[in-house]
Amino acid sequence: EVQLVESGGGSVQAGGSLRLSCAASGFSFDDYAIGWFRLTPEKEREGVSCMSSGNGLIYYEDSVKGRFTITKDDSKNVVYLQMSSLKPEDTAVYFCAAARKYCAGSLVGDSWHGDAYGMDYWGKGTPVTVSS
């Protein structure tokens, strides 16, 4: 059974940091792409970052570049999203998502536009609130 469980969300002041964790089970990172999406207060579900297994690439949404970093621990089957220099506009529910081999979406320039509908498995989300 594929399962994704997020943790690490919370409330922080602008400029602060959080590290989100996604514990995965039922599949290998060798076979599945895994990353993060966020559901904003405006009800947009946008891709944040993703790591593919099919092509070995890492992707970031434009507004988080230089501030967010995605990493993984293969021994623990955990993916992390280190978020720094947080802004109020980062406020959202953050979801861990996985798909077979490739991150769903497209590249516009060097920025990833994730396709939530193309991801196969989802966690339940962890909320992040950034106060000004």
Side-chain angles (χ1 to χ4, degrees):
E1 179 183 356
V2 172
Q3 190 169 12
L4 301 170
V5 181
E6 306 97 332
S7 62
S11 298
V12 297
Q13 297 256 304
S17 299
L18 284 173
R19 188 178 73 161
L20 307 183
S21 299
C22 173
S25 61
F27 66 93
S28 171
F29 292 163
D30 291 336
D31 302 318
Y32 280 75
I34 191 163
W36 297 89
F37 286 71
R38 60 189 182 186
L39 180 62
T40 69
E42 294 73 34
K43 308 302 181 185
E44 297 287 338
R45 193 178 294 265
E46 62 183 2
V48 178
S49 185
C50 192
M51 308 177 72
S52 72
S53 64
N55 57 20
L57 296 179
I58 298 174
Y59 307 97
Y60 292 99
E61 188 269 332
D62 187 67
S63 71
V64 310
K65 289 179 181 176
R67 300 188 298 120
F68 291 11
T69 303
I70 188 169
T71 58
K72 64 177 181 176
D73 185 336
D74 289 327
S75 68
K76 297 180 179 180
N77 233 41
V78 175
V79 171
Y80 304 97
L81 185 69
Q82 178 65 50
M83 306 186 295
S84 300
S85 301
L86 284 162
K87 304 174 180 180
E89 49 262 47
D90 295 317
T91 295
V93 180
Y94 284 72
F95 294 86
C96 184
R100 291 190 298 277
K101 289 193 177 296
Y102 303 105
C103 301
S106 61
L107 288 175
V108 179
D110 62 351
S111 300
W112 183 54
H113 289 239
D115 178 10
Y117 294 102
M119 304 301 288
D120 300 314
Y121 305 102
W122 293 83
K124 295 180 180 179
T126 185
V128 172
T129 301
V130 184
S131 302
S132 61

